[in-house]
Amino acid sequence: MATKYVFVTGGVVSGLGKGITAASLGRLLKTRGLKVASQKLDPYINVDPGTMSPLQHGEVFVTDDGTETDLDLGHYERFTDENLNKYSNLTTGKVYWNVLHKERQGAYLGQTVQIIPHITNEIKSYIYNLAKSTEADVVITEIGGTTGDIESQPFLEAIRQVGLEQGLENCCYIHVVLVPYISGSDEYKSKPAQHSCKELQGMGICPNVIVLRADGPVGNDIKRKISLFCNVRPDCVIENLTMPSLYECPLMLEAAGLTKVVTRQLHLETPPSDLTEWKEMLSRIATRSKTCTIALVGKYVKLHDAYLSVMESLYHAGFENESKVEIRWVDSELLVDQERCAEELADVDGIILPGGFGDRGIEGMIQAARFAREQYIPYFGICLGMQIMVMEFARHVLGYEDAHSSEFKPEGAHNVIALMPDQEGNIPKGGTMRLGKYPCVVAEGTHMYACYGKTEIDERHRHRYEFNNDYRAEMEEKGLVIAGTSPDGLLVEAVELPDRDFHIGVQFHPEFKSRPNRAHPLFKGFIAASLKHQQERCEQEHCQMAQD
């Protein structure tokens, strides 16, 4: 079967949920037995989001092959449970980077390099290469930004050309638009949607499906008006309403008929959607009887999207532990001492320190790690959070008060986190880290092994600095357990403290592999330990009240 192509564009305003719409459609098509691949085309000029501030752009998601991508790809993987690759994210910067390299190498044989055909051909090559590399039945491509933006025009022109090259019977164009509610007149307005569709049609793209983003049902009159003025069939106007949980979106869109109209447009004969597993997951979400509070201590907490995959992974683990997870966002810069830690963290059930770069807020993170260790609160350190755990242990257990990382204090006397010998030198920031999937050997008898249930795993990395092996023997002698290493034993991938239910730091990013219907084992173990800590604390408080 020839690959089919679905393109998801957005209009009126940004942030409408194109990514969730694309991800939900991916899950729905997969439940019909189709192999799906997902892709995001971003119009910004950065080559990739790897060097962009999390406070501006949100988290950087990393694929198995080490590609640093937009956070929407995390939604794609979580919904479709398919691993993405280097063709799954393309930016304007990367397009021009590739085209200019080809021009310098003479690939265009002296031609004048232009937007059409050279830039559009480069964009199309990523669309086609994703289809080829994944052998997908359906490729779903989201175009970032809003229709009408100058920077989006080459991408829209490229997907218009795909329709001509592949045949419109093999392509489906979905346009997501805002239908605003005017409280003064108590009505929804369709005019912005009409103008957005007109703008898209002016680019040569006639949408086959229009998805209406609204806070509530817009009514049949609005749907009929949009159908008439935007030139789509009435059943191809689909509502995408605000739901209590984003994981309810596939069921909502299925009920609204999205899968039916997309498969019809693509001339696909498929069995009905089998959403049994997804419905069982939603049932677990709806019947949770417990609640636990997790303190997320970080430097980017002002923008929660900076920790999107961590946040979702905590929720996934809650689903499997019959618990709601309430996240307490703690700015690490506020944790100036142990007294402040007690004010912010004494009543939480667990403490998680996620990844990050730069020295801002580091001392507060070390304070939080010390508080967790001394108060026996379950602790989960991810990437930087693992390095913080090692630095704190070196300071307050080994006695090296100046213990630090070469990232923050290059000339430090006791840098327990450092570059490996083959990494020394002038290293640029972009694309030089240990990125993507690497194997790890888990030590038997550890809490890590209890979580995974096996000794050989692979996880995704995104970091530059490593555990300094010069301090390895001394730390092990003082009680730090090396729970995971690279297969050759040279790189420390995970550490833990043995005398507690969960106090683990990992150099990798397990949040990138968690799924709503299959929580990551480390997050699942962390939430289980946090619930146990909560129960023990409540029992102690009850005993104390009885004695008083």
Side-chain angles (χ1 to χ4, degrees):
M1 183 182 77
T3 300
K4 307 287 187 174
Y5 298 88
V6 176
F7 299 103
V8 181
T9 57
V12 185
V13 295
S14 60
L16 290 179
K18 297 191 304 293
I20 296 298
T21 300
S24 296
L25 178 60
R27 164 56 65 169
L28 293 171
L29 293 176
K30 185 175 179 179
T31 64
R32 292 193 173 208
L34 297 167
K35 183 171 176 53
V36 176
S38 302
Q39 184 180 54
K40 175 78 180 288
L41 307 183
D42 275 308
Y44 52 74
I45 300 180
N46 303 67
V47 173
D48 60 44
T51 57
M52 295 171 71
S53 168
L55 286 172
Q56 183 179 89
H57 187 71
E59 77 169 6
V60 175
F61 189 82
V62 178
T63 58
D64 274 351
D65 62 7
T67 305
E68 295 177 290
T69 75
D70 183 83
L71 58 80
D72 273 323
L73 271 71
H75 287 311
Y76 301 159
E77 285 206 359
R78 285 188 286 273
F79 276 73
T80 65
D81 200 12
E82 296 286 344
N83 293 332
L84 305 180
N85 64 30
K86 64 183 181 180
Y87 297 116
S88 294
N89 198 198
L90 179 65
T91 69
T92 295
K94 189 176 292 183
V95 171
Y96 278 85
W97 180 281
N98 292 346
V99 168
L100 289 173
H101 272 280
K102 290 177 181 178
E103 186 272 333
R104 291 290 85 187
Q105 294 165 1
Y108 302 122
L109 301 177
Q111 297 175 14
T112 300
V113 178
Q114 297 176 292
I115 302 294
I116 302 171
H118 303 97
I119 296 301
T120 51
N121 283 349
E122 185 68 21
I123 295 169
K124 287 187 295 182
S125 75
Y126 265 70
I127 297 171
Y128 294 146
N129 282 332
L130 178 64
K132 183 178 179 181
S133 65
T134 59
E135 298 181 343
D137 298 317
V138 182
V139 170
I140 301 175
T141 301
E142 175 193 350
I143 313 301
T146 306
T147 298
D149 295 344
I150 293 174
E151 56 265 34
S152 296
Q153 290 179 5
F155 293 103
L156 294 176
E157 170 60 20
I159 66 173
R160 183 193 69 83
Q161 293 178 19
V162 172
L164 292 178
E165 294 170 0
Q166 302 301 314
L168 293 178
E169 71 278 7
N170 293 316
C171 295
C172 179
Y173 296 91
I174 299 175
H175 195 45
V176 183
V177 293
L178 176 70
V179 180
Y181 173 73
I182 307 300
S183 59
S185 57
D186 188 27
E187 61 181 341
Y188 286 95
K189 288 293 187 180
S190 66
K191 191 63 71 175
Q194 295 177 43
H195 280 294
S196 181
C197 287
K198 181 180 178 181
E199 182 86 29
L200 189 61
Q201 289 164 350
M203 297 291 297
I205 298 171
C206 296
N208 307 110
V209 181
I210 298 177
V211 174
L212 311 182
R213 187 72 176 85
D215 290 331
V218 301
N220 290 328
D221 287 344
I222 293 293
K223 289 184 183 178
R224 281 193 293 267
K225 185 180 289 186
I226 290 175
S227 168
L228 177 63
F229 286 102
C230 298
N231 199 32
V232 299
R233 295 169 61 164
D235 65 346
C236 292
V237 180
I238 306 290
E239 286 183 326
N240 183 356
L241 307 179
T242 302
M243 304 299 289
S245 166
L246 59 88
Y247 298 118
E248 295 180 40
C249 289
L251 266 63
M252 173 194 62
L253 292 171
E254 173 71 9
L258 179 62
T259 329
K260 181 181 70 174
V261 299
V262 169
T263 53
R264 184 182 69 202
Q265 169 65 27
L266 296 174
H267 300 274
L268 288 168
E269 296 290 337
T270 67
S273 301
D274 181 3
L275 289 161
T276 304
E277 182 185 12
W278 203 260
K279 289 178 179 178
E280 290 174 352
M281 177 197 71
L282 292 176
S283 178
R284 289 197 300 274
I285 295 174
T287 57
R288 291 169 293 171
S289 58
K290 296 173 280 189
T291 301
C292 69
T293 301
I294 302 299
L296 191 154
V297 181
K299 58 172 68 180
Y300 312 123
V301 295
K302 291 179 181 177
L303 181 67
H304 294 179
D305 272 359
Y307 302 112
L308 181 60
S309 290
V310 172
M311 184 168 58
E312 292 300 327
S313 298
L314 289 170
Y315 296 152
H316 302 165
F319 302 162
E320 296 194 23
N321 280 284
E322 301 178 356
S323 177
K324 298 176 183 177
V325 176
E326 295 181 350
I327 299 176
R328 180 178 299 175
W329 300 90
V330 181
D331 188 338
S332 61
E333 289 190 277
L334 301 178
L335 303 180
V336 295
D337 52 33
Q338 290 297 288
E339 288 184 7
R340 188 61 188 269
C341 285
E343 294 174 10
E344 297 282 350
L345 306 173
D347 60 339
V348 302
D349 304 312
I351 297 173
I352 188 167
L353 266 68
F357 295 89
D359 60 359
R360 182 176 60 83
I362 292 299
E363 292 302 321
M365 293 182 188
I366 293 174
Q367 292 283 354
R370 179 182 184 182
F371 188 81
R373 180 180 58 82
E374 293 182 349
Q375 301 301 318
Y376 281 74
I377 299 173
Y379 175 92
F380 191 8
I382 296 174
C383 195
L384 175 62
M386 177 264 206
Q387 298 176 357
I388 292 292
M389 176 179 164
V390 171
M391 290 157 60
E392 189 281 324
F393 190 87
R395 288 187 185 187
H396 303 115
V397 177
L398 300 188
Y400 297 126
E401 294 183 2
D402 60 345
H404 229 295
S405 165
S406 297
E407 179 182 2
F408 314 125
K409 197 173 182 181
E411 305 303 324
H414 297 98
N415 284 347
V416 294
I417 303 296
L419 292 172
M420 293 293 97
D422 60 347
Q423 293 177 300
E424 299 291 351
N426 183 24
I427 301 176
K429 292 189 181 299
T432 60
M433 296 182 287
R434 188 148 66 107
L435 285 164
K437 183 175 74 173
Y438 285 85
C440 173
V441 176
V442 179
E444 293 189 33
T446 60
H447 291 297
M448 278 270 292
Y449 181 80
C451 289
Y452 281 101
K454 54 185 178 181
T455 57
E456 295 182 6
I457 62 170
D458 59 73
E459 294 284 0
R460 300 178 190 178
H461 290 247
R462 183 177 182 252
H463 65 99
R464 185 175 289 110
Y465 293 82
E466 307 279 357
F467 182 104
N468 189 342
N469 285 323
D470 291 345
Y471 296 90
R472 189 163 168 175
E474 188 176 0
M475 289 196 179
E476 288 185 286
E477 183 181 328
K478 292 292 187 179
L480 189 72
V481 174
I482 307 300
T485 65
S486 56
D488 60 10
L490 292 179
L491 298 176
V492 174
E493 305 285 36
V495 296
E496 64 180 53
L497 297 180
D499 55 342
R500 50 201 72 205
D501 293 316
F502 197 103
H503 199 106
I504 296 176
V506 295
Q507 188 60 80
F508 45 81
H509 286 268
E511 69 270 24
F512 294 149
K513 295 181 69 174
S514 186
R515 305 289 184 258
N517 55 333
R518 191 178 66 256
H520 190 283
L522 289 180
F523 279 91
K524 184 178 177 180
F526 173 59
I527 294 300
S530 299
L531 287 166
K532 182 181 177 184
H533 175 73
Q534 178 192 78
Q535 182 179 0
E536 291 172 348
R537 191 178 71 246
C538 290
E539 289 173 354
Q540 290 175 357
E541 290 173 355
H542 288 151
C543 288
Q544 187 63 46
M545 290 173 63
Q547 291 175 2
D548 293 343

